[in-house]
Amino acid sequence: MKQNGGKAGKGDHAALADAFNKDEARVNWHDETLWWIRQKRDKAAHGVADWELLRETASRIKENVLSGLGGYLEQFEAAAAANGVTVHWAADAAEHNAIVLGLLRRHGVDKMVKSKSMLTEECHLNEFLQEQGIEVVDTDLGERVVQLAEEPPSHIVLPCIHKKKEEIGEIFHEHLGTPAGNADPQFLTHAARLHLREKFLTRRAALTGINFAVAETGEFVVCTNEGNADMGAHLADVHIACMGIEKIIPRREHLGVFLRLLTRSATGQPITTYSSHFKKPRPGKEMHIVLVDNGRSVHLGRKEFRNSLKCIRCAACFNTCPVYRRSGGHSYHTAVAGPIGSILAPNLDREKYADLPFASTLCGSCSNVCPVKIDIHDQLYKWRQVLVQSGHAPVAKKAAMKTMTWVLSNPSVYHTAGKAGRWFMLNAPFTVNNGMNPWYKQRDMPPVPKESFGEWYKKNKK
Amino acid sequence: MSSRENILKTVKGNQPEWRELPELKALGAAAGGVDLSGEALADGFVKVLEAIGGAAYVVSGYDRVGTILRELFPRVGRVVSGCPELGFGEAAGGYADPHELEDVGLAVLSAHFGVAENGACWITEDRMIERALPFIAQNLALVIRKKDVVANMHAAYEKIEAMGLGYGFATFIAGPSKTADIEQSLVLGAHGPKSMTVFLVDEEMSDAGFY
Ligand code: SF4
């Protein structure tokens, strides 16, 4: 699978966003589609009278989790083991991948179905297994589309949100043999159903992600609309479930809080079609859980940033973000894009992801919609300061400049980001406070956008 | 040191000061736009389930369930039923392998209860015949008692706790399997059932109107 990426500066957010912005009609469509989902989220949230109390409660449960994570992990491990589930620990992506490979090898499996797991994207599991001669079929429809297109997902909940149906029709024509030119979603979905049913029925190993793991009972919950996690897991001899260590929740009753929030925040549905609780393997079959650290335990020690570990991956912050909506997921060149990805990625590799905390207008919309009340925009702002202080200043400066240029030349980003005063109030302090103020020096001013801010402002001021 | 020990050591060294868990008591006094008073729960459940692509019928008993299913699915092929009262469908159980269920046209199962705020039904594996069945069948029908509808997910987990059911697998199912991955066009029937019908049995209901 092709990877986005590269060092900031070459394939950085602003450059990749520019590439995405070449097709204006597509950008508008992408923007509107995501905004529509954001509106569905609003409607669903407003329908719940105690929504704010729910968010507050979820946030406090997650704070408790972070404060007692070590003990909860041990409790979970013991409970899962008592249920007949094997628990593995992986320090990093490489160890995670090796554990999965080892399990597949032990069972003589060279073909596996996989349901959505952003963690395995983070670990680049598919590429790794393919190199080892193991075929992985992604079974979430959107993930299958991007897999066939040899692209990474561009959104954690809606993996192929950047693709038009005509393109999907072409991909299916090429790979699944559907008639050329047929781009009817109903028809294409049905074709994928038949194609993937054959995979479900013939694969002996299934890998799934985990949305929530309950320390008290050792069970874990997987949420899907398509039913693909269940189709894979219940037909396979070996079920491997992978999770980041932060996915633990203390008690089963806490699922009530998170399941009320998750899908309403994600797509505006009251709940996913399936919220499956896996506790014990089927008789004679195997169930494995891989607990993955990959930087999380270190991140936990960063006082200013640890809150990002509360994330439940609903993607509400993506859908509401004016920058994400108009730059597309691939511009973030990391598995988890959007505002939350921009504060998680620098934790793993500051150099490579130094541009991401700048891919924001700091409008704060992300923090407003976040169901677990992560202070996302504050963390973006704090990351900028850290990156400058830790010697990533040239990258940071360049990224700041490019983002500024990009935002100013994209009035709709700027516009949805909030009112002018607010935008500058939020952005200016950084540039002034750090003694690294690119706006201050004439020679560093970004090239003037096609439609200047002033012109745009006049036109839009009503 | 093993990865396990390393991870736990780093986590414990880095985790912040203990924060107490919040109380859940105050939550769920109001469900998602659903009236919580007795009778209204079932109505709320039906309304939400229909909105998410499912179908619901309030019936007097299994006779009506059978009649309606025969009308809805006249040529559905293989029917597997976990409800002996239904009087049709193959005698389920004893499958050596869940793959034997791949051609099931309709599965009829008895679930534990419904949730008004989201149209979901809770079902544990002992009522699924095979874990794969509610997912692999082309169509799914679930039967619950009309009085077994709770307001919201908090009440749902209280009920699960109170029922004290041990399970190796259990799930909430809310509507047919679906996807909107292609340009956000909603399509029912992704990998699992293309339809989901819930029967709410009201034992006190009169059949008079039906015959
Ligand atoms: S940061 Fe919050 S809004 Fe964004 S994906 Fe995570 S939980 Fe959802």
Side-chain angles (χ1 to χ4, degrees), chain A residues 275 277, chain B residues 108-113 120-129 134-135 140-144 160 163 165 167 169-173:
Chain A
S275 309
H277 298 48
Chain B
V108 191
L109 302 170
S110 151
H112 293 282
F113 62 86
C121 288
W122 173 253
I123 179 166
T124 49
E125 68 175 329
D126 54 307
R127 296 189 174 199
M128 292 177 194
I129 303 165
F135 307 95
L140 176 66
L142 296 178
V143 184
I144 57 173
I160 290 168
M163 288 192 303
L165 298 168
Y167 55 82
F169 174 76
T171 189
F172 283 105
I173 302 179

PDB file of all heavy atoms in Angstrom, chain A residues 275 277, chain B residues 108-113 120-129 134-135 140-144 160 163 165 167 169-173:
ATOM      1  N   SER A 275     -23.318  -3.266  18.342  1.00  0.00           N
ATOM      2  CA  SER A 275     -22.374  -2.969  19.420  1.00  0.00           C
ATOM      3  C   SER A 275     -22.101  -4.307  20.080  1.00  0.00           C
ATOM      4  O   SER A 275     -22.814  -4.733  20.985  1.00  0.00           O
ATOM      5  CB  SER A 275     -22.978  -1.998  20.431  1.00  0.00           C
ATOM      6  OG  SER A 275     -23.502  -0.857  19.771  1.00  0.00           O
ATOM      7  N   HIS A 277     -20.335  -7.317  22.131  1.00  0.00           N
ATOM      8  CA  HIS A 277     -19.577  -7.523  23.356  1.00  0.00           C
ATOM      9  C   HIS A 277     -18.914  -8.904  23.304  1.00  0.00           C
ATOM     10  O   HIS A 277     -19.588  -9.923  23.430  1.00  0.00           O
ATOM     11  CB  HIS A 277     -20.507  -7.454  24.571  1.00  0.00           C
ATOM     12  CG  HIS A 277     -21.190  -6.122  24.770  1.00  0.00           C
ATOM     13  ND1 HIS A 277     -21.840  -5.431  23.750  1.00  0.00           N
ATOM     14  CD2 HIS A 277     -21.335  -5.348  25.883  1.00  0.00           C
ATOM     15  CE1 HIS A 277     -22.338  -4.296  24.231  1.00  0.00           C
ATOM     16  NE2 HIS A 277     -22.056  -4.222  25.509  1.00  0.00           N
TER      17      HIS A 277
ATOM     18  N   VAL B 108     -35.090 -15.954  12.979  1.00  0.00           N
ATOM     19  CA  VAL B 108     -36.039 -15.396  13.950  1.00  0.00           C
ATOM     20  C   VAL B 108     -35.526 -15.756  15.339  1.00  0.00           C
ATOM     21  O   VAL B 108     -35.375 -16.934  15.661  1.00  0.00           O
ATOM     22  CB  VAL B 108     -37.456 -15.985  13.760  1.00  0.00           C
ATOM     23  CG1 VAL B 108     -38.465 -15.185  14.595  1.00  0.00           C
ATOM     24  CG2 VAL B 108     -37.853 -15.997  12.300  1.00  0.00           C
ATOM     25  N   LEU B 109     -35.231 -14.752  16.132  1.00  0.00           N
ATOM     26  CA  LEU B 109     -34.633 -15.003  17.440  1.00  0.00           C
ATOM     27  C   LEU B 109     -35.352 -14.186  18.508  1.00  0.00           C
ATOM     28  O   LEU B 109     -35.938 -13.138  18.224  1.00  0.00           O
ATOM     29  CB  LEU B 109     -33.139 -14.625  17.427  1.00  0.00           C
ATOM     30  CG  LEU B 109     -32.259 -15.349  16.393  1.00  0.00           C
ATOM     31  CD1 LEU B 109     -30.877 -14.711  16.334  1.00  0.00           C
ATOM     32  CD2 LEU B 109     -32.157 -16.839  16.715  1.00  0.00           C
ATOM     33  N   SER B 110     -35.268 -14.691  19.714  1.00  0.00           N
ATOM     34  CA  SER B 110     -35.888 -13.976  20.813  1.00  0.00           C
ATOM     35  C   SER B 110     -34.805 -13.171  21.540  1.00  0.00           C
ATOM     36  O   SER B 110     -33.810 -13.732  22.014  1.00  0.00           O
ATOM     37  CB  SER B 110     -36.554 -15.021  21.713  1.00  0.00           C
ATOM     38  OG  SER B 110     -36.578 -14.579  23.030  1.00  0.00           O
ATOM     39  N   ALA B 111     -34.974 -11.853  21.578  1.00  0.00           N
ATOM     40  CA  ALA B 111     -33.991 -10.988  22.246  1.00  0.00           C
ATOM     41  C   ALA B 111     -34.466 -10.700  23.667  1.00  0.00           C
ATOM     42  O   ALA B 111     -35.588 -11.042  24.038  1.00  0.00           O
ATOM     43  CB  ALA B 111     -33.805  -9.705  21.457  1.00  0.00           C
ATOM     44  N   HIS B 112     -33.613 -10.076  24.463  1.00  0.00           N
ATOM     45  CA  HIS B 112     -33.984  -9.834  25.866  1.00  0.00           C
ATOM     46  C   HIS B 112     -34.826  -8.585  26.051  1.00  0.00           C
ATOM     47  O   HIS B 112     -35.831  -8.597  26.720  1.00  0.00           O
ATOM     48  CB  HIS B 112     -32.725  -9.720  26.726  1.00  0.00           C
ATOM     49  CG  HIS B 112     -31.968 -10.992  26.826  1.00  0.00           C
ATOM     50  ND1 HIS B 112     -32.345 -12.022  27.653  1.00  0.00           N
ATOM     51  CD2 HIS B 112     -30.866 -11.426  26.184  1.00  0.00           C
ATOM     52  CE1 HIS B 112     -31.495 -13.036  27.523  1.00  0.00           C
ATOM     53  NE2 HIS B 112     -30.584 -12.696  26.635  1.00  0.00           N
ATOM     54  N   PHE B 113     -34.383  -7.498  25.457  1.00  0.00           N
ATOM     55  CA  PHE B 113     -35.130  -6.247  25.634  1.00  0.00           C
ATOM     56  C   PHE B 113     -34.714  -5.240  24.571  1.00  0.00           C
ATOM     57  O   PHE B 113     -33.710  -5.426  23.871  1.00  0.00           O
ATOM     58  CB  PHE B 113     -34.917  -5.662  27.048  1.00  0.00           C
ATOM     59  CG  PHE B 113     -33.489  -5.295  27.360  1.00  0.00           C
ATOM     60  CD1 PHE B 113     -32.968  -4.051  26.999  1.00  0.00           C
ATOM     61  CD2 PHE B 113     -32.649  -6.201  28.019  1.00  0.00           C
ATOM     62  CE1 PHE B 113     -31.647  -3.717  27.281  1.00  0.00           C
ATOM     63  CE2 PHE B 113     -31.322  -5.872  28.309  1.00  0.00           C
ATOM     64  CZ  PHE B 113     -30.827  -4.631  27.943  1.00  0.00           C
ATOM     65  N   ALA B 120     -32.275  -0.205  19.660  1.00  0.00           N
ATOM     66  CA  ALA B 120     -31.442  -1.418  19.717  1.00  0.00           C
ATOM     67  C   ALA B 120     -32.094  -2.511  20.555  1.00  0.00           C
ATOM     68  O   ALA B 120     -32.851  -2.231  21.483  1.00  0.00           O
ATOM     69  CB  ALA B 120     -30.072  -1.075  20.305  1.00  0.00           C
ATOM     70  N   CYS B 121     -31.794  -3.771  20.221  1.00  0.00           N
ATOM     71  CA  CYS B 121     -32.212  -4.913  21.038  1.00  0.00           C
ATOM     72  C   CYS B 121     -30.975  -5.620  21.562  1.00  0.00           C
ATOM     73  O   CYS B 121     -29.991  -5.789  20.846  1.00  0.00           O
ATOM     74  CB  CYS B 121     -33.014  -5.915  20.197  1.00  0.00           C
ATOM     75  SG  CYS B 121     -34.649  -5.344  19.768  1.00  0.00           S
ATOM     76  N   TRP B 122     -31.057  -6.075  22.794  1.00  0.00           N
ATOM     77  CA  TRP B 122     -29.937  -6.792  23.424  1.00  0.00           C
ATOM     78  C   TRP B 122     -30.189  -8.289  23.318  1.00  0.00           C
ATOM     79  O   TRP B 122     -31.252  -8.781  23.697  1.00  0.00           O
ATOM     80  CB  TRP B 122     -29.826  -6.372  24.887  1.00  0.00           C
ATOM     81  CG  TRP B 122     -28.839  -7.137  25.724  1.00  0.00           C
ATOM     82  CD1 TRP B 122     -29.123  -8.058  26.688  1.00  0.00           C
ATOM     83  CD2 TRP B 122     -27.399  -7.015  25.707  1.00  0.00           C
ATOM     84  NE1 TRP B 122     -27.958  -8.517  27.271  1.00  0.00           N
ATOM     85  CE2 TRP B 122     -26.893  -7.904  26.693  1.00  0.00           C
ATOM     86  CE3 TRP B 122     -26.505  -6.245  24.946  1.00  0.00           C
ATOM     87  CZ2 TRP B 122     -25.517  -8.042  26.931  1.00  0.00           C
ATOM     88  CZ3 TRP B 122     -25.145  -6.392  25.193  1.00  0.00           C
ATOM     89  CH2 TRP B 122     -24.656  -7.267  26.173  1.00  0.00           C
ATOM     90  N   ILE B 123     -29.224  -8.993  22.793  1.00  0.00           N
ATOM     91  CA  ILE B 123     -29.356 -10.438  22.671  1.00  0.00           C
ATOM     92  C   ILE B 123     -28.038 -11.114  23.040  1.00  0.00           C
ATOM     93  O   ILE B 123     -26.970 -10.670  22.616  1.00  0.00           O
ATOM     94  CB  ILE B 123     -29.862 -10.849  21.255  1.00  0.00           C
ATOM     95  CG1 ILE B 123     -29.973 -12.377  21.141  1.00  0.00           C
ATOM     96  CG2 ILE B 123     -29.003 -10.276  20.138  1.00  0.00           C
ATOM     97  CD1 ILE B 123     -30.764 -12.832  19.919  1.00  0.00           C
ATOM     98  N   THR B 124     -28.125 -12.157  23.858  1.00  0.00           N
ATOM     99  CA  THR B 124     -26.932 -12.898  24.276  1.00  0.00           C
ATOM    100  C   THR B 124     -26.805 -14.161  23.424  1.00  0.00           C
ATOM    101  O   THR B 124     -27.768 -14.618  22.816  1.00  0.00           O
ATOM    102  CB  THR B 124     -27.026 -13.275  25.766  1.00  0.00           C
ATOM    103  OG1 THR B 124     -28.310 -13.858  26.002  1.00  0.00           O
ATOM    104  CG2 THR B 124     -26.860 -12.062  26.650  1.00  0.00           C
ATOM    105  N   GLU B 125     -25.611 -14.740  23.426  1.00  0.00           N
ATOM    106  CA  GLU B 125     -25.347 -15.811  22.455  1.00  0.00           C
ATOM    107  C   GLU B 125     -26.198 -17.051  22.660  1.00  0.00           C
ATOM    108  O   GLU B 125     -26.475 -17.767  21.705  1.00  0.00           O
ATOM    109  CB  GLU B 125     -23.861 -16.187  22.442  1.00  0.00           C
ATOM    110  CG  GLU B 125     -23.367 -16.856  23.696  1.00  0.00           C
ATOM    111  CD  GLU B 125     -21.914 -17.306  23.543  1.00  0.00           C
ATOM    112  OE1 GLU B 125     -21.508 -17.647  22.418  1.00  0.00           O
ATOM    113  OE2 GLU B 125     -21.195 -17.301  24.553  1.00  0.00           O
ATOM    114  N   ASP B 126     -26.648 -17.307  23.889  1.00  0.00           N
ATOM    115  CA  ASP B 126     -27.481 -18.493  24.108  1.00  0.00           C
ATOM    116  C   ASP B 126     -28.791 -18.407  23.313  1.00  0.00           C
ATOM    117  O   ASP B 126     -29.456 -19.403  23.098  1.00  0.00           O
ATOM    118  CB  ASP B 126     -27.775 -18.669  25.604  1.00  0.00           C
ATOM    119  CG  ASP B 126     -28.371 -17.425  26.232  1.00  0.00           C
ATOM    120  OD1 ASP B 126     -27.752 -16.338  26.068  1.00  0.00           O
ATOM    121  OD2 ASP B 126     -29.443 -17.505  26.853  1.00  0.00           O
ATOM    122  N   ARG B 127     -29.149 -17.208  22.886  1.00  0.00           N
ATOM    123  CA  ARG B 127     -30.376 -17.046  22.100  1.00  0.00           C
ATOM    124  C   ARG B 127     -30.103 -16.869  20.602  1.00  0.00           C
ATOM    125  O   ARG B 127     -30.992 -16.549  19.831  1.00  0.00           O
ATOM    126  CB  ARG B 127     -31.158 -15.842  22.611  1.00  0.00           C
ATOM    127  CG  ARG B 127     -31.627 -16.031  24.045  1.00  0.00           C
ATOM    128  CD  ARG B 127     -32.571 -14.932  24.420  1.00  0.00           C
ATOM    129  NE  ARG B 127     -33.144 -15.170  25.744  1.00  0.00           N
ATOM    130  CZ  ARG B 127     -34.245 -14.578  26.173  1.00  0.00           C
ATOM    131  NH1 ARG B 127     -34.884 -13.725  25.396  1.00  0.00           N
ATOM    132  NH2 ARG B 127     -34.701 -14.826  27.377  1.00  0.00           N
ATOM    133  N   MET B 128     -28.843 -17.029  20.229  1.00  0.00           N
ATOM    134  CA  MET B 128     -28.481 -16.793  18.815  1.00  0.00           C
ATOM    135  C   MET B 128     -28.336 -18.086  18.025  1.00  0.00           C
ATOM    136  O   MET B 128     -28.136 -18.040  16.823  1.00  0.00           O
ATOM    137  CB  MET B 128     -27.135 -16.059  18.733  1.00  0.00           C
ATOM    138  CG  MET B 128     -27.155 -14.647  19.233  1.00  0.00           C
ATOM    139  SD  MET B 128     -25.489 -13.949  19.140  1.00  0.00           S
ATOM    140  CE  MET B 128     -25.707 -12.494  20.153  1.00  0.00           C
ATOM    141  N   ILE B 129     -28.364 -19.211  18.694  1.00  0.00           N
ATOM    142  CA  ILE B 129     -28.110 -20.522  18.097  1.00  0.00           C
ATOM    143  C   ILE B 129     -26.629 -20.634  17.729  1.00  0.00           C
ATOM    144  O   ILE B 129     -25.934 -21.487  18.230  1.00  0.00           O
ATOM    145  CB  ILE B 129     -29.019 -20.810  16.891  1.00  0.00           C
ATOM    146  CG1 ILE B 129     -30.498 -20.699  17.352  1.00  0.00           C
ATOM    147  CG2 ILE B 129     -28.745 -22.199  16.303  1.00  0.00           C
ATOM    148  CD1 ILE B 129     -31.491 -20.615  16.243  1.00  0.00           C
ATOM    149  N   PRO B 134     -27.180 -14.067  13.666  1.00  0.00           N
ATOM    150  CA  PRO B 134     -27.840 -12.765  13.474  1.00  0.00           C
ATOM    151  C   PRO B 134     -27.148 -11.887  12.428  1.00  0.00           C
ATOM    152  O   PRO B 134     -27.705 -10.881  11.991  1.00  0.00           O
ATOM    153  CB  PRO B 134     -27.746 -12.100  14.849  1.00  0.00           C
ATOM    154  CG  PRO B 134     -27.296 -13.136  15.801  1.00  0.00           C
ATOM    155  CD  PRO B 134     -26.637 -14.227  15.019  1.00  0.00           C
ATOM    156  N   PHE B 135     -25.945 -12.272  12.036  1.00  0.00           N
ATOM    157  CA  PHE B 135     -25.173 -11.459  11.088  1.00  0.00           C
ATOM    158  C   PHE B 135     -25.182 -12.047   9.681  1.00  0.00           C
ATOM    159  O   PHE B 135     -25.180 -11.336   8.690  1.00  0.00           O
ATOM    160  CB  PHE B 135     -23.732 -11.318  11.588  1.00  0.00           C
ATOM    161  CG  PHE B 135     -23.656 -10.803  12.994  1.00  0.00           C
ATOM    162  CD1 PHE B 135     -23.557 -11.679  14.074  1.00  0.00           C
ATOM    163  CD2 PHE B 135     -23.741  -9.444  13.247  1.00  0.00           C
ATOM    164  CE1 PHE B 135     -23.527 -11.205  15.376  1.00  0.00           C
ATOM    165  CE2 PHE B 135     -23.709  -8.962  14.550  1.00  0.00           C
ATOM    166  CZ  PHE B 135     -23.605  -9.850  15.615  1.00  0.00           C
ATOM    167  N   LEU B 140     -33.339 -10.528   9.388  1.00  0.00           N
ATOM    168  CA  LEU B 140     -33.368 -10.848  10.816  1.00  0.00           C
ATOM    169  C   LEU B 140     -34.668 -10.355  11.439  1.00  0.00           C
ATOM    170  O   LEU B 140     -35.097  -9.226  11.187  1.00  0.00           O
ATOM    171  CB  LEU B 140     -32.177 -10.171  11.522  1.00  0.00           C
ATOM    172  CG  LEU B 140     -32.110 -10.322  13.045  1.00  0.00           C
ATOM    173  CD1 LEU B 140     -31.863 -11.775  13.444  1.00  0.00           C
ATOM    174  CD2 LEU B 140     -31.016  -9.424  13.630  1.00  0.00           C
ATOM    175  N   ALA B 141     -35.300 -11.237  12.216  1.00  0.00           N
ATOM    176  CA  ALA B 141     -36.466 -10.812  13.005  1.00  0.00           C
ATOM    177  C   ALA B 141     -36.165 -11.109  14.471  1.00  0.00           C
ATOM    178  O   ALA B 141     -35.668 -12.187  14.807  1.00  0.00           O
ATOM    179  CB  ALA B 141     -37.712 -11.559  12.553  1.00  0.00           C
ATOM    180  N   LEU B 142     -36.422 -10.146  15.329  1.00  0.00           N
ATOM    181  CA  LEU B 142     -36.225 -10.338  16.764  1.00  0.00           C
ATOM    182  C   LEU B 142     -37.560 -10.161  17.464  1.00  0.00           C
ATOM    183  O   LEU B 142     -38.383  -9.327  17.068  1.00  0.00           O
ATOM    184  CB  LEU B 142     -35.208  -9.332  17.316  1.00  0.00           C
ATOM    185  CG  LEU B 142     -33.766  -9.442  16.792  1.00  0.00           C
ATOM    186  CD1 LEU B 142     -32.889  -8.332  17.390  1.00  0.00           C
ATOM    187  CD2 LEU B 142     -33.162 -10.817  17.101  1.00  0.00           C
ATOM    188  N   VAL B 143     -37.763 -10.958  18.501  1.00  0.00           N
ATOM    189  CA  VAL B 143     -39.007 -10.872  19.262  1.00  0.00           C
ATOM    190  C   VAL B 143     -38.662 -10.471  20.686  1.00  0.00           C
ATOM    191  O   VAL B 143     -37.766 -11.061  21.310  1.00  0.00           O
ATOM    192  CB  VAL B 143     -39.729 -12.244  19.265  1.00  0.00           C
ATOM    193  CG1 VAL B 143     -41.083 -12.124  19.975  1.00  0.00           C
ATOM    194  CG2 VAL B 143     -39.903 -12.767  17.841  1.00  0.00           C
ATOM    195  N   ILE B 144     -39.342  -9.451  21.182  1.00  0.00           N
ATOM    196  CA  ILE B 144     -39.201  -9.077  22.601  1.00  0.00           C
ATOM    197  C   ILE B 144     -40.606  -8.877  23.178  1.00  0.00           C
ATOM    198  O   ILE B 144     -41.578  -8.794  22.416  1.00  0.00           O
ATOM    199  CB  ILE B 144     -38.385  -7.773  22.807  1.00  0.00           C
ATOM    200  CG1 ILE B 144     -39.018  -6.599  22.050  1.00  0.00           C
ATOM    201  CG2 ILE B 144     -36.937  -7.967  22.388  1.00  0.00           C
ATOM    202  CD1 ILE B 144     -38.370  -5.250  22.352  1.00  0.00           C
ATOM    203  N   ILE B 160     -28.944  -5.378  32.302  1.00  0.00           N
ATOM    204  CA  ILE B 160     -27.997  -6.465  32.005  1.00  0.00           C
ATOM    205  C   ILE B 160     -27.356  -6.947  33.305  1.00  0.00           C
ATOM    206  O   ILE B 160     -27.234  -8.150  33.561  1.00  0.00           O
ATOM    207  CB  ILE B 160     -26.922  -5.976  31.002  1.00  0.00           C
ATOM    208  CG1 ILE B 160     -27.556  -5.765  29.624  1.00  0.00           C
ATOM    209  CG2 ILE B 160     -25.757  -6.971  30.924  1.00  0.00           C
ATOM    210  CD1 ILE B 160     -26.683  -5.011  28.639  1.00  0.00           C
ATOM    211  N   MET B 163     -29.979  -8.823  35.379  1.00  0.00           N
ATOM    212  CA  MET B 163     -30.324 -10.138  34.840  1.00  0.00           C
ATOM    213  C   MET B 163     -29.243 -11.162  35.184  1.00  0.00           C
ATOM    214  O   MET B 163     -29.499 -12.356  35.186  1.00  0.00           O
ATOM    215  CB  MET B 163     -30.495 -10.080  33.317  1.00  0.00           C
ATOM    216  CG  MET B 163     -31.778  -9.361  32.893  1.00  0.00           C
ATOM    217  SD  MET B 163     -32.160  -9.578  31.123  1.00  0.00           S
ATOM    218  CE  MET B 163     -30.710  -8.982  30.352  1.00  0.00           C
ATOM    219  N   LEU B 165     -26.840 -12.305  33.559  1.00  0.00           N
ATOM    220  CA  LEU B 165     -26.604 -13.304  32.528  1.00  0.00           C
ATOM    221  C   LEU B 165     -25.112 -13.435  32.259  1.00  0.00           C
ATOM    222  O   LEU B 165     -24.434 -12.441  32.021  1.00  0.00           O
ATOM    223  CB  LEU B 165     -27.285 -12.882  31.228  1.00  0.00           C
ATOM    224  CG  LEU B 165     -28.800 -12.737  31.273  1.00  0.00           C
ATOM    225  CD1 LEU B 165     -29.284 -12.034  30.032  1.00  0.00           C
ATOM    226  CD2 LEU B 165     -29.452 -14.102  31.410  1.00  0.00           C
ATOM    227  N   TYR B 167     -22.379 -14.430  29.656  1.00  0.00           N
ATOM    228  CA  TYR B 167     -22.360 -14.620  28.203  1.00  0.00           C
ATOM    229  C   TYR B 167     -20.917 -14.600  27.728  1.00  0.00           C
ATOM    230  O   TYR B 167     -20.067 -13.960  28.333  1.00  0.00           O
ATOM    231  CB  TYR B 167     -23.178 -13.554  27.478  1.00  0.00           C
ATOM    232  CG  TYR B 167     -22.788 -12.123  27.807  1.00  0.00           C
ATOM    233  CD1 TYR B 167     -21.707 -11.518  27.171  1.00  0.00           C
ATOM    234  CD2 TYR B 167     -23.490 -11.381  28.755  1.00  0.00           C
ATOM    235  CE1 TYR B 167     -21.343 -10.220  27.474  1.00  0.00           C
ATOM    236  CE2 TYR B 167     -23.129 -10.077  29.072  1.00  0.00           C
ATOM    237  CZ  TYR B 167     -22.062  -9.506  28.431  1.00  0.00           C
ATOM    238  OH  TYR B 167     -21.688  -8.224  28.737  1.00  0.00           O
ATOM    239  N   PHE B 169     -20.591 -13.983  24.425  1.00  0.00           N
ATOM    240  CA  PHE B 169     -20.777 -12.973  23.398  1.00  0.00           C
ATOM    241  C   PHE B 169     -22.207 -12.451  23.501  1.00  0.00           C
ATOM    242  O   PHE B 169     -23.128 -13.213  23.753  1.00  0.00           O
ATOM    243  CB  PHE B 169     -20.544 -13.559  21.995  1.00  0.00           C
ATOM    244  CG  PHE B 169     -20.868 -12.593  20.888  1.00  0.00           C
ATOM    245  CD1 PHE B 169     -19.999 -11.550  20.589  1.00  0.00           C
ATOM    246  CD2 PHE B 169     -22.062 -12.688  20.180  1.00  0.00           C
ATOM    247  CE1 PHE B 169     -20.312 -10.627  19.592  1.00  0.00           C
ATOM    248  CE2 PHE B 169     -22.375 -11.769  19.179  1.00  0.00           C
ATOM    249  CZ  PHE B 169     -21.496 -10.742  18.885  1.00  0.00           C
ATOM    250  N   ALA B 170     -22.372 -11.172  23.314  1.00  0.00           N
ATOM    251  CA  ALA B 170     -23.707 -10.571  23.307  1.00  0.00           C
ATOM    252  C   ALA B 170     -23.619  -9.306  22.480  1.00  0.00           C
ATOM    253  O   ALA B 170     -22.526  -8.770  22.273  1.00  0.00           O
ATOM    254  CB  ALA B 170     -24.156 -10.246  24.727  1.00  0.00           C
ATOM    255  N   THR B 171     -24.760  -8.848  21.997  1.00  0.00           N
ATOM    256  CA  THR B 171     -24.692  -7.645  21.166  1.00  0.00           C
ATOM    257  C   THR B 171     -25.981  -6.838  21.230  1.00  0.00           C
ATOM    258  O   THR B 171     -27.054  -7.373  21.515  1.00  0.00           O
ATOM    259  CB  THR B 171     -24.365  -8.022  19.699  1.00  0.00           C
ATOM    260  OG1 THR B 171     -24.106  -6.840  18.939  1.00  0.00           O
ATOM    261  CG2 THR B 171     -25.491  -8.804  19.050  1.00  0.00           C
ATOM    262  N   PHE B 172     -25.837  -5.554  20.983  1.00  0.00           N
ATOM    263  CA  PHE B 172     -26.986  -4.707  20.688  1.00  0.00           C
ATOM    264  C   PHE B 172     -27.121  -4.660  19.176  1.00  0.00           C
ATOM    265  O   PHE B 172     -26.125  -4.404  18.472  1.00  0.00           O
ATOM    266  CB  PHE B 172     -26.764  -3.274  21.189  1.00  0.00           C
ATOM    267  CG  PHE B 172     -26.928  -3.100  22.664  1.00  0.00           C
ATOM    268  CD1 PHE B 172     -25.823  -2.943  23.482  1.00  0.00           C
ATOM    269  CD2 PHE B 172     -28.196  -3.078  23.241  1.00  0.00           C
ATOM    270  CE1 PHE B 172     -25.965  -2.769  24.855  1.00  0.00           C
ATOM    271  CE2 PHE B 172     -28.350  -2.900  24.617  1.00  0.00           C
ATOM    272  CZ  PHE B 172     -27.239  -2.744  25.419  1.00  0.00           C
ATOM    273  N   ILE B 173     -28.321  -4.895  18.694  1.00  0.00           N
ATOM    274  CA  ILE B 173     -28.556  -4.767  17.254  1.00  0.00           C
ATOM    275  C   ILE B 173     -29.612  -3.684  17.037  1.00  0.00           C
ATOM    276  O   ILE B 173     -30.696  -3.740  17.620  1.00  0.00           O
ATOM    277  CB  ILE B 173     -29.049  -6.090  16.635  1.00  0.00           C
ATOM    278  CG1 ILE B 173     -28.024  -7.205  16.906  1.00  0.00           C
ATOM    279  CG2 ILE B 173     -29.288  -5.929  15.123  1.00  0.00           C
ATOM    280  CD1 ILE B 173     -28.430  -8.566  16.355  1.00  0.00           C
TER     281      ILE B 173
END
